Amino acid sequence: MVLTKEYTTSPPTFKHLTPYERGKICALLKEGFSPTQIAKKLGRHRSTIYREIKRGTTTQLR
């Protein structure tokens, strides 16, 4: 009897945004670029950019 591993799902392929990319997003937003244009420039999916913008614009309550 031979045992084999059969994986039914593929491993995740995502990676975190670098501090450089976060700074670039901020700079491009200030220049008036849309999130979709920023995503194309950085080679990321536009939903990643939208999530990062949403995450970065929340206000902290004391």
Side-chain angles (χ1 to χ4, degrees):
M1 180 168 163
V2 176
L3 298 176
T4 61
K5 290 183 179 180
E6 291 186 28
Y7 298 105
T8 57
T9 59
S10 58
T13 58
F14 61 87
K15 62 180 184 174
H16 297 280
L17 289 172
T18 64
Y20 173 80
E21 289 175 316
R22 288 190 172 100
K24 193 77 170 161
I25 290 169
C26 183
L28 291 172
L29 280 173
K30 287 181 181 179
E31 290 181 22
F33 285 89
S34 72
T36 302
Q37 292 170 324
I38 294 171
K40 286 180 183 178
K41 284 187 173 290
L42 295 179
R44 297 293 190 135
H45 196 273
R46 64 187 164 101
S47 64
T48 302
I49 305 303
Y50 277 107
R51 279 193 301 267
E52 186 62 28
I53 292 169
K54 182 180 177 184
R55 212 175 276 129
T57 57
T58 57
T59 55
Q60 297 287 328
L61 299 178
R62 292 182 188 238

